[in-house]
Amino acid sequence: MRLLLKLAGVLIAIAFITTVLTFYITWTFSAKTLQTQAEETLKELADNTMNKIDIFMFERATDIKVIAEDDVISSRYSSPRNITKSLVNFRNLCKAYVSLSFFDSNRVRIADTAGLELGNPDNTHSHWADVLAGKISVGSEIGLSGSLEMPVIYFSSPVRDRNNEIFGVVVARVPLDSLNTIMGEISFLKQKKNVLFVDLADKNGRLIYSSYNRKGILKDRLTGCRTSKSKIGSGVTAMTYDHRYEGDDTITVLCREGGYRDFEGNGWVLAIHIPKNVVFAPIRELRNKWILVTAFFFVLGVTVSLFFAYRLSAPITKLKSAVEDVGRGKLDTNLDVRSGDEIGELAAMFNKMTKDLEISQRKLKEYSGGLESKVAERTAELNSHLAELKDSREVMLSILEDTTDVKNRLEETLKQLKLTEEDLIRSGKLSGIGQMAAGVAHEIN
Amino acid sequence: MMNRLLALMLCAAMMTAPGCEKATAHKKPPIRISVNIWPGFALAYLAEEKGFFKKNNVEVELILKDSTPESLELFTSGEVDGCFDLFADMIMINSKGIPAKIVCVVDYSVNGDVIIGRPDLGSLADLAGKTVSFEGVNTFSHIFVLSALEKAGLNENDVKFKNVKAHNVLVELENKSIDAGHTWEPTKTEALQKGYKILAKAGDTPGIITDILAFNPRVIAERPDDIRGIVKSMFEALDYLEHNHDESVKIMADKMGMTNEEMLSGLSGIHQPDIKEQTELLTTTTTTTTTTISLYKCGKIITDFLLNRGQMPRSLDINNVIEPKFIEELSGK
């Protein structure tokens, strides 16, 4: 079991590390790619949007020039009624203006397409300075029109008589909402209007359009917005910009107004923000799927590795118990391992080994069986010899006994003879007795 | 062992699976609708008071504002789901990219809106060279005044204009800063009492002053049953008004802060089309009577007006502004 766990552990660890590593690499790479892609897309979008705005501004500049040079309008002798008629025609033709007005050089409104404020002087607007100096004002002023009660972009041009003398001014008012329209025409902005946050600020950083902060238009100021003149026409520049979008972390691109044809632009700045969580949504989704798939494969991997580990370690466990069996003398153990790898070979060899061992042991047994009978035979033989020997020993012992007995009797006799001799000596018959004893001793020897 | 490991893995997999199902559906918020002071719109308060909304299983919150721009602002800023407003305003805001769909007509102004002028003026044609007021540039009021003048043979360049709020018209007339102006109740009655004279009525230019009920298309898509309930309640209120006139007028006058007389006068100045009539107005393009006109037809007049004045990027498809399905369903068409 320990081997199984080790094997499974190693396999799982490898699978896990590979997965995590692959995931990490994929994640960082995709995140970087997505961020770059998003930035590029937004840059292009910002450029296109700004360009579209500038084309619109250029068209208005053209309109105002044409209007200022209109025969009726540029004649000192036209009646206010005819001038109004002419202006109404232009209004209906251009379809871009809330109203068009003609002012005399004293800033008194002579004609107006909406018929408002006629005969009243207009002293409040800043674009007058440009116009009275002979220049055309193309959206240099944006503000709330008092008579129209709506925010407008002002376009104005001096009107010159035949002697090229300025005697009046035409003013055209485009609703500021037109910017909304222009943005609305950009399909990408329209499609992504819930995720793209667009701000447009004039050169002073005043908000003139916002896709999400309508109430802040002409009120909010976008601070930290720095533009550099040298960057005109270069599109996106590196500017800091404290945008008002208060959401998640965003990717922001900026585009400075580049102008169009002879319209140089007013230094407007377009900012497009996209929340990072939107940009990264696809890979987030991918990540979630990844985790699911990984979890599935992890479970699968664990199962498979456990299975393989089991497959690998089972024969070894079998081998182990077989060896134990053999150790206990159970030599008929046969391993059932059919794998073709080294373990299979090992098992086969083990089987062969036990078989060989069995054979040799059997032989040994057989041999040892023969030896025993021989030993028994010899032992019997020896025993019979021993019995024989025992018999002869007994005979000899009895002989020896007999001899000893004789000897003892002789010694006894001798002892008695000696006693008799002594007696004889003592009795004086010693010589006869001595001779008789010598004869007896001779007899015994 | 294996089983335990497997179970553990499965558990881990479950935990990483994306968020559980949303909690049980919470109570729907009420449908918020902005209203401004206008006799026709008082019908909504009658529906509320008589429990028609509740009966149709819809919770409605009406928010009353003094003037059209105020109530419209609530709608454009997204603070309310729907608004009782003017057809022309709906075209205008749609052209500005703020979607709104008309689900039913509430009323047509017939005598309610008038151009009231100095007593010495004989007719509209006498306004040449004079100053006429309307309320708001490019609003329904502007369109009404210009249409009425056009009918009398006067162009924009024949008349001077002044932007004057309807309730200030009498003051301006008294100041002699205008010669005539567009106004409605209660200024209309006050001016008449001072001897001023009606030069034109809304009924002269049918359809220009059409009061409608519109909703954000998102709300229509998400809560069609509630919208149907509201439209149904409006017709039930109209029916109730017809059969219990005095009681209804009193309720409506109270809610709008008017006297019974003002409410009665106001109601007499409008035409409230029933479901049958509405079906034609909202679904056909040709219907024209003396007082009503198909929304599609007068929509074209309004669109052209706004288009010439730089208020619209392109001709608006009126179909996008009208959602006739509730009227169709309710009329069983």
Side-chain angles (χ1 to χ4, degrees):
Chain A
M1 211 52 184
R2 275 168 301 170
L3 182 68
L4 185 145
L5 282 181
K6 267 185 208 165
L7 272 169
V10 168
L11 288 172
I12 291 165
I14 290 171
F16 187 72
I17 290 168
T18 316
T19 313
V20 167
L21 213 66
T22 318
F23 178 65
Y24 177 75
I25 293 167
T26 317
W27 172 265
T28 41
F29 182 73
S30 321
K32 228 173 225 170
T33 313
L34 273 179
Q35 169 135 12
T36 318
Q37 262 177 6
E39 274 169 6
E40 277 170 5
T41 311
L42 289 193
K43 271 179 193 175
E44 201 181 324
L45 179 67
D47 266 353
N48 287 343
T49 309
M50 203 71 236
N51 199 39
K52 208 151 184 183
I53 292 169
D54 277 349
I55 291 172
F56 176 81
M57 297 296 280
F58 170 77
E59 284 170 1
R60 303 291 76 80
T62 310
D63 290 347
I64 200 81
K65 280 180 214 165
V66 171
I67 295 167
E69 282 165 19
D70 177 72
D71 285 345
V72 177
I73 292 166
S74 63
S75 161
R76 279 179 185 267
Y77 309 105
S78 295
S79 69
R81 194 173 182 273
N82 285 341
I83 293 173
T84 311
K85 218 172 179 176
S86 206
L87 290 174
V88 167
N89 279 341
F90 276 114
R91 184 199 66 196
N92 293 350
L93 202 69
C94 301
K95 302 200 191 295
Y97 304 104
V98 193
S99 71
L100 294 158
S101 314
F102 178 86
F103 290 85
D104 68 12
S105 51
N106 296 320
R107 300 187 174 192
V108 174
R109 200 185 299 219
I110 304 297
D112 185 76
T113 57
L116 297 168
E117 305 285 335
L118 293 171
N120 295 337
D122 178 1
N123 294 316
T124 54
H125 293 293
S126 64
H127 60 91
W128 278 97
D130 282 350
V131 179
L132 290 178
K135 282 194 273 183
I136 291 171
S137 164
V138 183
S140 65
E141 191 187 349
I142 297 165
L144 190 76
S145 160
S147 60
L148 298 174
E149 292 177 327
M150 65 171 86
V152 294
I153 309 172
Y154 291 96
F155 295 82
S156 53
S157 168
V159 180
R160 296 163 202 269
D161 63 10
R162 262 180 291 176
N163 304 322
N164 212 19
E165 214 174 283
I166 298 171
F167 75 96
V169 169
V170 278
V171 175
R173 299 170 195 85
V174 169
L176 192 55
D177 272 337
S178 301
L179 292 174
N180 215 4
T181 308
I182 296 169
M183 306 285 187
E185 300 271 280
I186 295 163
S187 56
F188 193 76
L189 279 181
K190 207 167 162 185
Q191 279 165 26
K192 307 271 175 188
K193 86 174 165 203
N194 294 326
V195 295
L196 287 179
F197 300 89
V198 185
D199 284 320
L200 183 67
D202 68 8
K203 64 174 182 234
N204 299 319
R206 188 174 54 152
L207 196 67
I208 54 176
Y209 166 83
S210 178
S211 67
Y212 58 96
N213 178 22
R214 271 170 187 268
K215 284 186 174 168
I217 292 172
L218 293 183
K219 291 187 193 103
D220 286 354
R221 201 161 285 276
L222 301 166
T223 53
C225 167
R226 289 194 293 272
T227 66
S228 89
K229 252 223 139 68
S230 62
K231 296 276 185 176
I232 279 190
S234 70
V236 180
T237 58
M239 288 178 290
T240 57
Y241 189 90
D242 301 337
H243 59 81
R244 283 259 161 175
Y245 174 70
E246 286 164 6
D248 308 302
D249 205 4
T250 59
I251 294 175
T252 300
V253 296
L254 299 156
C255 179
R256 191 179 196 279
E257 193 180 13
Y260 185 77
R261 301 211 172 144
D262 64 347
F263 167 59
E264 285 190 356
N266 293 306
W268 293 358
V269 177
L270 182 78
I272 304 180
H273 328 286
I274 185 164
K276 278 191 176 162
N277 60 14
V278 172
V279 176
F280 296 140
I283 56 168
R284 288 239 164 89
E285 202 182 316
L286 194 71
R287 181 195 59 188
N288 291 344
K289 278 187 183 153
W290 243 97
I291 289 170
L292 267 180
V293 171
T294 309
F296 172 73
F297 277 105
F298 195 70
V299 170
L300 195 74
V302 167
T303 319
V304 168
S305 42
L306 280 172
F307 174 72
F308 272 108
Y310 177 74
R311 281 280 305 263
L312 269 173
S313 64
I316 292 172
T317 315
K318 266 188 194 170
L319 198 65
K320 191 194 100 188
S321 55
V323 169
E324 272 173 7
D325 285 352
V326 171
R328 263 187 252 110
K330 216 180 138 210
L331 285 175
D332 56 346
T333 312
N334 188 37
L335 270 176
D336 184 21
V337 174
R338 268 165 300 212
S339 76
D341 56 9
E342 284 86 345
I343 290 174
E345 280 169 27
L346 185 65
M349 276 163 80
F350 175 82
N351 284 341
K352 195 173 170 289
M353 189 190 78
T354 43
K355 213 168 206 169
D356 288 352
L357 200 64
E358 203 189 350
I359 291 166
S360 63
Q361 201 158 41
R362 199 170 54 229
K363 272 186 184 160
L364 201 67
K365 225 178 217 169
E366 275 167 20
Y367 184 70
S368 71
L371 204 64
E372 250 166 50
S373 64
K374 263 181 192 162
V375 166
E377 214 172 278
R378 290 290 158 88
T379 311
E381 233 168 81
L382 274 172
N383 280 345
S384 71
H385 283 298
L386 204 63
E388 273 169 36
L389 275 172
K390 230 180 209 166
D391 289 349
S392 46
R393 182 176 158 259
E394 259 162 33
V395 171
M396 278 171 77
L397 272 176
S398 68
I399 292 169
L400 204 60
E401 233 168 56
D402 289 348
T403 316
T404 315
D405 205 23
V406 171
K407 193 188 164 193
N408 284 345
R409 262 184 284 149
L410 277 176
E411 270 170 7
E412 192 73 24
T413 313
L414 192 56
K415 213 184 239 172
Q416 282 192 344
L417 276 175
K418 265 176 186 172
L419 284 170
T420 318
E421 187 186 35
E422 275 169 24
D423 285 345
L424 277 173
I425 292 165
R426 259 166 289 162
S427 55
K429 299 172 187 169
L430 202 48
S431 54
I433 295 167
Q435 278 167 349
M436 192 184 73
V440 171
H442 180 75
E443 223 22 74
I444 291 164
N445 287 335
Chain B
M1 184 70 192
M2 285 265 275
N3 286 343
R4 226 185 298 167
L5 255 170
L6 246 150
L8 207 78
M9 295 300 134
L10 273 172
C11 265
M14 305 272 257
M15 261 140 72
T16 51
C20 342
E21 283 302 299
K22 272 178 196 161
T24 45
H26 50 271
K27 198 173 173 285
K28 282 190 296 181
I31 300 253
R32 290 162 60 88
I33 311 173
S34 62
V35 193
N36 58 76
I37 295 176
W38 174 251
F41 297 155
L43 209 55
Y45 282 95
L46 184 62
E48 185 184 53
E49 193 67 21
K50 298 314 288 182
F52 295 134
F53 292 137
K54 208 161 271 174
K55 197 196 94 197
N56 289 313
N57 207 17
V58 47
E59 207 178 318
V60 177
E61 189 186 335
L62 299 169
I63 297 135
L64 187 65
K65 289 283 171 187
D66 284 344
S67 69
T68 311
E70 286 171 89
S71 72
L72 190 62
E73 170 63 24
L74 281 182
F75 181 76
T76 54
S77 64
E79 282 171 61
V80 293
D81 304 312
C83 64
F84 284 96
D85 214 292
L86 286 137
F87 184 33
D89 284 346
M90 292 304 114
I91 293 178
M92 179 85 151
I93 66 165
N94 266 286
S95 76
K96 285 181 179 177
I98 301 162
K101 282 200 170 194
I102 294 161
V103 296
C104 72
V105 171
V106 180
D107 63 75
Y108 282 87
S109 182
V110 182
N111 305 312
D113 289 85
V114 292
I115 296 174
I116 203 153
R118 290 208 325 265
D120 55 318
L121 294 164
S123 72
L124 274 186
D126 296 336
L127 284 171
K130 302 281 195 306
T131 303
V132 185
S133 78
F134 52 79
E135 185 179 307
V137 174
N138 296 347
T139 61
F140 77 100
S141 172
H142 197 178
I143 304 173
F144 165 56
V145 171
L146 288 184
S147 303
L149 288 173
E150 205 175 318
K151 232 175 171 180
L154 293 175
N155 283 324
E156 288 170 279
N157 44 13
D158 296 321
V159 186
K160 291 180 192 169
F161 294 96
K162 197 161 187 209
N163 191 351
V164 175
K165 293 249 183 301
H167 58 88
N168 289 334
V169 163
L170 183 58
V171 181
E172 299 277 333
L173 280 170
E174 297 277 87
N175 286 347
K176 306 220 182 302
S177 55
I178 57 171
D179 299 291
H182 170 211
T183 193
W184 52 85
E185 294 295 357
T187 312
K188 174 184 151 193
T189 309
E190 290 167 26
L192 285 174
Q193 280 162 359
K194 293 233 172 181
Y196 292 97
K197 188 174 170 183
I198 291 173
L199 300 173
K201 308 187 299 273
D204 299 339
T205 58
I208 301 294
I209 304 180
T210 304
D211 298 298
I212 50 80
L213 172 59
F215 287 98
N216 186 325
R218 183 180 48 76
V219 180
I220 295 178
E222 284 171 7
R223 303 170 69 174
D225 293 340
D226 289 343
I227 306 299
R228 189 179 307 105
I230 293 169
V231 175
K232 192 162 178 244
S233 306
M234 290 301 288
F235 285 113
E236 286 168 355
L238 185 61
D239 193 58
Y240 193 85
L241 169 65
E242 208 171 293
H243 294 99
N244 305 277
H245 202 257
D246 293 346
E247 183 205 349
S248 302
V249 167
K250 193 176 178 311
I251 292 169
M252 288 159 77
D254 276 358
K255 291 285 178 183
M256 283 283 158
M258 294 178 174
T259 63
N260 281 3
E261 289 70 36
E262 280 170 343
M263 180 54 72
L264 268 173
S265 155
L267 288 175
S268 71
I270 58 173
H271 170 66
Q272 295 165 297
D274 61 16
I275 192 149
K276 188 169 161 281
E277 203 177 341
Q278 292 226 19
T279 315
E280 286 185 11
L281 294 168
L282 265 72
T283 58
T284 65
T285 52
T286 49
T287 310
T288 311
T289 68
T290 47
T291 49
T292 63
I293 182 169
S294 151
L295 286 190
Y296 298 91
K297 206 167 182 178
C298 83
K300 177 89 177 78
I301 299 169
I302 298 167
T303 305
D304 286 348
F305 177 91
L306 295 172
L307 207 57
N308 277 343
R309 285 160 179 81
Q311 300 280 7
M312 287 169 75
R314 64 167 61 84
S315 191
L316 191 75
D317 185 357
I318 300 294
N319 287 304
N320 291 338
V321 187
I322 300 169
E323 177 52 84
K325 79 169 178 190
F326 300 108
I327 291 289
E328 282 171 357
E329 281 170 20
L330 290 170
S331 71
K333 198 181 174 183

